[in-house]
Amino acid sequence: MEEHGTTQAGEGTNSVKPGGAAARRTLLRRVVPVAAAAGLAAGGIAGVAHGATPGAQQAAAADFPTWGTRWVVHTTTDTHSPSVGMIDTAGPGRDRITADYQVDTGHRVCEGSAFSTFMAHLTRPFSGFLTVVAVDIPQDRLPGIPVQGGPPPQQPGTSRQEMLARAATWLTADNGAQVPYSQAKVWKDGYRQDCSGYVSMALKLPAPGTNTVGLATDRNLTRPVSLGGLRGGDLLIDATGDNNNRHVVIFEKWNNAAHSSYTAFEQRGDHGTDHRSLTYGLPGGDSEFKPYRPVAFGD
């Protein structure tokens, strides 16, 4: 019924297909020269890094190879912050990035069997932050690159009005008709055409979007709220089961003072984008749905 079954860990998907991401990454790491693990060739001395402590010594920048494609480079160390570019090459391992420092965010990003809490600050090919999972090294942090404390300030959060307005765009985005439902396809804006891809689009999360389980469990994205406290832009999520029955909808407003139904936006199977009255999560409705509030709203 609902979202793509592959777990998105808050980071751009890579396009590696044969053998799976974990197998391809292991192969790449075996063939990369040993110099990669030692920090590779120093790219010269960089200036004081953005976000560094005043008076800190200058740090040496170093080059590293990446693996896979479609890795998102973000404006901050928050993996849900806006994109400033994408590492997207013709073949895995053919691109290189230059990093001058890294930040231990404490938030783990996963891809296959690889995990890291570190985000690297890039000076090339884009200025921004990239998860160390994207770098083809044996370690889970960049060797020889200084660690700076704390992430830079995050971008202002998405407003409720902005989210609901973005949700409404898919009602007529297909030449006046709703965006068709699909767990496999992405729409023209780069987001998956399923329920969680739709919500990711409305919240301006990195494309192609996280999945329903991520929306319910990642506390960098949402937090539980009371049913009676639902406000426009909040979510009702059923994160149980598999990709055939998980679902998420965007709450807009209560339909009456008794709170016996509400109006919501959703991307549903056999229909596509919809704006209709629902009772998911209410007494007498589907009890598997629980209320959550996007942390981007700041309340």
Side-chain angles (χ1 to χ4, degrees):
M1 172 182 173
E2 294 310 322
E3 98 288 341
H4 191 280
T6 302
T7 299
Q8 304 295 330
E11 195 52 45
T13 333
N14 67 78
S15 63
V16 176
K17 295 182 179 69
R24 181 63 62 88
R25 182 178 178 130
T26 300
L27 176 61
L28 283 173
R29 284 187 165 180
R30 287 174 180 169
V31 299
V32 168
V34 176
L40 297 171
I45 301 298
V48 176
H50 173 70
T53 304
Q57 294 184 345
Q58 292 180 326
D63 294 334
F64 298 89
T66 58
W67 71 283
T69 59
R70 295 184 61 80
W71 291 106
V72 177
V73 179
H74 298 279
T75 54
T76 76
T77 55
D78 178 5
T79 55
H80 306 298
S81 64
S83 168
V84 296
M86 184 175 289
I87 308 297
D88 196 354
T89 60
R94 290 180 57 183
D95 197 11
R96 302 178 79 83
I97 52 96
T98 300
D100 57 357
Y101 70 96
Q102 58 190 326
V103 175
D104 187 355
T105 66
H107 176 64
R108 190 168 69 164
V109 174
C110 307
E111 179 66 31
S113 60
F115 306 92
S116 181
T117 61
F118 286 85
M119 294 286 284
H121 179 258
L122 308 189
T123 59
R124 185 182 67 89
F126 308 104
S127 178
F129 291 88
L130 175 72
T131 173
V132 171
V133 176
V135 183
D136 195 55
I137 55 173
Q139 299 95 327
D140 294 327
R141 60 185 287 180
L142 299 180
I145 299 297
V147 177
Q148 302 281 354
Q154 297 184 11
Q155 299 295 315
T158 300
S159 71
R160 296 176 182 277
Q161 294 75 16
E162 180 184 7
M163 180 195 182
L164 293 172
R166 285 173 62 84
T169 62
W170 272 27
L171 289 169
T172 56
D174 190 13
N175 296 319
Q178 71 270 29
V179 173
Y181 178 88
S182 175
Q183 292 189 24
K185 297 179 181 179
V186 297
W187 189 239
K188 299 172 185 178
D189 54 14
Y191 289 92
R192 278 193 329 275
Q193 295 169 217
D194 57 20
C195 66
S196 53
Y198 175 57
V199 171
S200 296
M201 178 279 297
L203 280 171
K204 295 198 296 188
L205 301 181
T210 189
N211 67 10
T212 302
V213 174
L215 288 171
T217 60
D218 189 339
R219 290 297 165 259
N220 289 307
L221 293 180
T222 64
R223 63 179 180 85
V225 293
S226 67
L227 190 62
L230 282 169
R231 298 172 59 193
D234 290 341
L235 307 176
L236 286 117
I237 306 175
D238 176 1
T240 61
D242 58 24
N243 62 302
N244 293 312
N245 49 41
R246 293 190 294 255
H247 196 39
V248 53
V249 301
I250 302 171
F251 178 91
E252 182 188 25
K253 61 183 180 180
W254 293 108
N255 293 334
N256 51 50
H259 291 186
S260 60
S261 67
Y262 55 87
T263 301
F265 292 95
E266 66 176 329
Q267 183 74 358
R268 61 187 178 96
D270 300 322
H271 180 84
T273 316
D274 208 351
H275 184 220
R276 60 176 181 157
S277 178
L278 295 173
T279 59
Y280 299 155
L282 303 184
D286 191 330
S287 61
E288 297 295 331
F289 283 80
K290 306 300 180 186
Y292 295 86
R293 176 157 298 161
V295 297
F297 298 152
D299 58 7

